[in-house]
Amino acid sequence: AQSVTQLGSHVSVSEGALVLLRCNYSSSVPPYLFWYVQYPNQGLQLLLKYTTGATLVKGINGFEAEFKKSETSFHLTKPSAHMSDAAEYVCAVTGANSKLTFGKGITLSVRP
Amino acid sequence: DAGVIQSPRHEVTEMGQEVTLRCKPISGHDYLFWYRQTMMRGLELLIYFNNNVPIDDSGMPEDRFSAKMPNASFSTLKIQPSEPRDSAVYFCASSLTGRMNTIYFGEGSWLTVV
């Protein structure tokens, strides 16, 4: 079985500040990890994913995430927040099949 | 290419009525998933199919919920009878075989039961 923990439900940053959204996982098999973004009234869109290889993964809109096996983490970062980054961000992990397990998501607000 | 298509986008219905949500997955995808999203619980997997066969329906809340996939290009999620606590956003998603493959989501069906 697999699970995802995203502590907290809301993060607020100033425009231009660093964005750090935390994700920890548990998995009985080597994990494949995903970050999705959900804008208001829309479906989920893939930001980035880690499967194998390089542990630092770059995604769309300037986001990146680093897989750290020792810490069972896959935190999402962006050096400089933009107003358009305001959305809900959801971390997910696949287990031994194609079943995707999601965290509860974090709402990112960006202050002018 | 067309993405996952869901209908209706929005539905308001009265308690006790039957609700049918529809989904057309991305052509060629062999996995189809139904998720429910609420503020309290986040995204929950209800059921998923592989090659039109239900694989895991352990997330279906109760017998009032049922899902079918009569062919590779169509699936339905039915709630009968509906209750106010069923109010949520229901997402359909599809993917290719392989757990590294991205799951693509539709835009959701926003259900309100009054």
Side-chain angles (χ1 to χ4, degrees):
Chain A
Q2 64 271 6
S3 66
V4 174
T5 301
Q6 294 183 256
L7 292 178
S9 61
H10 185 248
V11 169
S12 180
V13 301
S14 297
E15 193 172 18
L18 171 71
V19 175
L20 170 60
L21 304 179
R22 299 179 184 275
C23 172
N24 289 89
Y25 70 90
S26 68
S27 177
S28 57
V29 299
Y32 291 168
L33 295 154
F34 304 76
W35 274 100
Y36 283 83
V37 60
Q38 185 177 21
Y39 297 104
N41 301 320
Q42 294 186 26
L44 283 79
Q45 178 184 1
L46 182 70
L47 262 182
L48 50 77
K49 66 180 179 182
Y50 167 79
T51 55
T52 58
T55 56
L56 182 62
V57 180
K58 295 186 185 298
I60 61 172
N61 302 336
F63 284 93
E64 61 183 36
E66 186 171 12
F67 169 60
K68 292 187 177 180
K69 183 178 178 181
S70 61
E71 298 178 8
T72 61
S73 69
F74 191 57
H75 301 332
L76 182 71
T77 60
K78 182 174 180 178
S80 177
H82 191 273
M83 296 297 290
S84 62
D85 295 327
E88 177 150 353
Y89 292 82
V90 188
C91 182
V93 62
T94 54
N97 50 33
S98 289
K99 183 175 173 179
L100 195 63
T101 299
F102 288 91
K104 291 200 171 181
I106 298 175
T107 300
L108 174 66
S109 300
V110 182
R111 303 185 301 272
Chain B
D1 288 341
V4 176
I5 299 172
Q6 291 186 246
S7 65
R9 286 297 314 278
H10 299 272
E11 173 132 357
V12 180
T13 190
E14 291 185 347
M15 182 174 63
Q17 296 298 306
E18 177 179 291
V19 174
T20 300
L21 308 178
R22 298 172 178 80
C23 176
K24 177 180 170 56
I26 293 173
S27 177
H29 282 190
D30 54 352
Y31 277 86
L32 183 138
F33 306 83
W34 282 101
Y35 288 88
R36 178 171 69 177
Q37 185 180 42
T38 61
M39 291 287 290
M40 291 295 292
R41 294 172 172 260
L43 273 161
E44 302 173 278
L45 178 64
L46 300 177
I47 185 171
Y48 75 97
F49 297 82
N50 179 219
N51 292 322
N52 313 336
V53 176
I55 302 301
D56 183 353
D57 65 355
S58 60
M60 297 285 263
E62 48 196 275
D63 292 346
R64 297 185 297 106
F65 285 69
S66 63
K68 294 183 179 180
M69 191 166 186
N71 57 62
S73 60
F74 184 66
S75 176
T76 60
L77 178 68
K78 188 173 292 187
I79 309 172
Q80 167 64 18
S82 58
E83 297 182 2
R85 60 192 168 120
D86 302 330
S87 298
V89 185
Y90 292 82
F91 287 102
C92 178
S94 70
S95 73
L96 288 168
T97 295
R99 64 187 187 100
M100 70 174 67
N101 286 316
T102 300
I103 293 179
Y104 293 88
F105 285 78
E107 294 195 327
S109 292
W110 302 68
L111 173 65
T112 302
V113 183
V114 298

